Amino acid sequence: GRLTKFGGFKSDCVILMIMALSSAIAIVPLHPSLEDFFVNGLSYEVGNPLFTGFPDKEKHLKVLEAYYGRMKKQPIKWKLIVDMVKNMFTKIYGGVTFKNVDFYGNDAVCLFKYFVKANDPQKLYVWLVLVINFTCFTIITLSYIIISIISMKSSSAVTKGGGHGQNQ
């Protein structure tokens, strides 16, 4: 049948909702207020002997505890870690430069992080997105199967009908 105005509005709303959800999934890991959940470590300039590779919070805490002395064993925010590291490397000695190693990694291409470790803070987020992807894939697959079945039945009905209305 024909698509009514209400049906068109419903489909437009569904499309907009899918686009909004897709955008949110991509943008949420980049929001600064969520850095304690999505930042995996910091990458320092070459030549920094204290922090090599991409040190995570645990590695930072070990170095900071050795430098500052005894620290409370409690969750610490990345902002505080950054401030403490900046205080270790004063501007007299050139300071310290670094960048976050976040959810999408440090590569030129932003790829979703499908493979996470057991202690990764984003494990739940990754599994949620994978479940959404699998659900969408299943719905699309079932839709194509239904379309194929309906199309085969329709073709069969036209063929059995003897080709009425065709020029012979």
Side-chain angles (χ1 to χ4, degrees):
R2 293 189 54 174
L3 185 63
T4 64
K5 283 186 179 183
F6 181 69
F9 177 73
K10 270 189 355 185
S11 63
D12 289 346
C13 286
V14 168
I15 290 168
L16 285 174
M17 187 176 68
I18 290 170
M19 289 173 60
L21 181 62
S22 299
S23 298
I25 287 171
I27 293 171
V28 162
L30 301 176
H31 199 275
S33 67
L34 300 171
E35 77 175 359
D36 285 319
F37 186 70
F38 287 109
V39 170
N40 295 321
L42 300 175
S43 171
Y44 294 91
E45 77 275 354
V46 178
N48 185 330
L50 291 177
F51 301 108
T52 58
F54 302 118
D56 60 3
K57 279 187 179 182
E58 288 181 32
K59 289 179 186 175
H60 275 93
L61 288 177
K62 287 178 185 175
V63 172
L64 292 172
E65 188 173 1
Y67 182 80
Y68 287 105
R70 194 171 138 191
M71 296 174 65
K72 290 182 181 179
K73 298 291 182 196
Q74 66 182 21
I76 189 168
K77 295 191 173 289
W78 278 111
K79 182 171 179 5
L80 182 57
I81 290 174
V82 167
D83 290 343
M84 292 173 83
V85 169
K86 283 181 179 178
N87 287 335
M88 288 173 60
F89 298 92
T90 63
K91 293 188 192 256
I92 296 171
Y93 297 105
V96 63
T97 58
F98 60 88
K99 60 183 178 176
N100 291 347
V101 180
D102 60 16
F103 183 71
Y104 291 114
N106 236 16
D107 301 320
V109 179
C110 294
L111 295 174
F112 190 82
K113 184 178 174 182
Y114 286 113
F115 304 107
V116 292
K117 297 176 185 171
N119 63 347
D120 218 335
Q122 302 96 13
K123 183 172 63 173
L124 181 64
Y125 183 77
V126 168
W127 278 107
L128 174 71
V129 171
L130 288 174
V131 167
I132 290 170
N133 284 347
F134 179 75
T135 303
C136 291
F137 177 76
T138 304
I139 290 169
I140 291 168
T141 302
L142 291 175
S143 297
Y144 272 109
I145 290 170
I146 291 168
I147 289 170
S148 178
I149 291 170
I150 291 171
S151 178
M152 287 176 13
K153 285 182 180 179
S154 175
S155 294
S156 175
V158 169
T159 307
K160 286 182 182 177
H164 295 294
Q166 291 183 353
N167 293 335
Q168 293 184 358

